[in-house]
Amino acid sequence: MSKTILIVEDEKNIVDILSFNLGREGYETIPAYDGEMGLTLALAKDPDLILLDVMLPKMNGFDVCKTVREKNTSTPIIMLTAREGESDKVLGLELGADDYITKPFSMRELLARVKANIRRTDLLTAHPTAPVGGVDGGRLERGRILVDPALLMAFKDGKALDLTPKEFELLRFLAAAPEQVVSRETLLEKVWNYEGFVGDVRAVDVAVRRLREKLEDDPANPAFIITRRGLGYLFRMEQ
Ligand code: CA
């Protein structure tokens, strides 16, 4: 069955180019030319992925992203941001976007990211216990944390954590190899499924920050996920 991608973008020529190229790769596309329409279609059509521009009439991309995420945590969202807006990129990720692509973007990079995000969701939904990102499918008991890949859930002191699929995958990957430093590039490759130089390591930092807010007793002084400056992150056994 072909995958559906919702394109929320007010510049018609960009929508046309995206629709053409995604169509050629076998995706169905749904265009939305303003934020309100984008939000309505995101909720009504339940697409497999959303490409979301920031500057939109009626409702901006951040508000669309935030509202979609309040109702649905699993659909991958890739924000399309302007090159100048460094803070835009991080804000989108903070609001629950999975990634962003800077305009003007290369079609090759965009297609690679769309594919990576959809493949990831597919693996999780079709085979919840199958290895994703090279981690085996077994339950991980790590001190106060339990990661259960079959349930796609993680628990802290026996209480379920409300994680997005990406946050879950990140935690599972780090917890699979406790006390080992994992570089941000490796996380991008294994958790985000990005190959080569696609992707931005800042997406990893923001995801780690969001995960810590849900995981840590004190997110400012993390006890579970530790930063090794310049090297990456590690999951600590002794919490
Ligand atoms: Ca726009």
Side-chain angles (χ1 to χ4, degrees), residues 9-11 53 55-56 103:
E9 165 66 82
D10 56 319
E11 286 169 67
D53 187 29
M55 300 293 283
L56 290 164
K103 283 179 179 176

Side-chain angles (χ1 to χ4, degrees), residues 1 27 35 61 83 89 91-92 94 109 134 154 160-161 168 194 196 219-221 229:
M1 206 179 76
Y27 299 106
R83 183 167 39 188
K89 299 169 184 172
L91 180 58
E94 297 278 5
E109 181 179 2
L161 296 164
F168 173 82
Y194 289 161
N221 291 296
R229 211 158 291 286

